[in-house]
């Protein structure tokens, strides 16, 4: 009986070791894939900045990333998929950044939203021409970048849920009345409007856009809180 027990323990330990080894291997493989995706995106963004979205080819992207063109297609089928990954990383970066801003989380709602949108503008600032081309493509109904596409909607929902949490905290603090999910959609549309203004802003450091952002957020918060225009 002790012999059988020892054998069972040894078999269990071996299988446990194999599972642990397989898990580590899978994690390492996933990490390597993510690094490759980020390397491809970095190469693509560099080319988009110098050549433009339309003029850049997948062959040029794969060459700059140091991979075969077939490998590139294993990660991104089209340049639009690259753009979606760019915005996915923007959203992930924003949520992670906000989670570490303890002082900001205690700030009034206008300050929070200003900081959030300003962070987004800083993220896209080096790629202004690329962002302009992406917005143009998003107007095409068949594009994956269109607000009507499943790929785009899935990404937007993650951002909208994040904004909804920020607004919910302001509701709990009685800064604003209950705005529900509509409030998150309103902020999302407002951000798109700000980006459109930012793309056409000729002022140094986009100061006109930042001033508009600040005034709009403070005015909107006062209107929501009082339920009327504060003339």
């Amino acid at each position: 009986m002790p012999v059988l027990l020892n054998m069972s323990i040894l078999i269990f330990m071996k299988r446990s070791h194999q599972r642990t080894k397989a898990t580590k291997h899978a994690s390492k493989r996933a990490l390597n894939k993510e690094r490759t995706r980020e390397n491809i995106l970095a190469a693509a963004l560099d080319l988009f900045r110098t050549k433009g979205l339309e003029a850049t080819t997948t062959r040029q992207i794969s060459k700059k990333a140091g991979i075969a063109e077939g490998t590139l297609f294993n990660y991104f089928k089209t340049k639009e998929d690259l753009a979606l990954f760019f915005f996915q990383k923007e959203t992930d970066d924003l949520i992670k950044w906000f989670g570490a801003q303890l002082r900001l989380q205690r700030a009034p709602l206008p300050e929070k939203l200003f900081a959030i949108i300003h962070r987004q503008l800083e993220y896209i600032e080096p790629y202004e021409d690329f962002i302009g081309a992406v917005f143009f493509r998003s107007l095409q109904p068949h594009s994956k970048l269109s607000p009507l596409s499943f790929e785009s909607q899935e990404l937007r929902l993650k951002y909208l849920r994040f904004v909804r949490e920020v607004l919910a905290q302001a509701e709990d603090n009685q800064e604003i009345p209950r705005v529900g999910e509509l409030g998150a959609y309103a902020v999302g549309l407002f951000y798109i409007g700000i980006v459109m203004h930012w793309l056409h802003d000729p002022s140094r450091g986009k100061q006109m856009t930042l001033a508009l952002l600040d005034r709009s957020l403070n005015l909107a918060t006062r209107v929501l809180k009082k339920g009327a225009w504060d003339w």
Side-chain angles (χ1 to χ4, degrees), residues 86-87 124 127-136 195 198-199:
F86 171 83
F87 289 114
I124 65 175
Y127 316 106
E128 185 171 346
D129 291 340
F130 165 67
I131 297 300
V134 166
F135 265 76
F136 176 76
V195 172
W198 176 85
L199 286 170

Side-chain angles (χ1 to χ4, degrees), residues 24 49 57 83 105 116 131 160-161 165 173 187 202 204:
K24 288 182 177 179
R49 188 166 50 234
T57 66
Q105 292 175 31
I116 288 170
I131 297 300
L160 291 173
R161 289 191 182 102
E165 290 178 4
N173 294 337
V187 172
R204 185 176 181 179

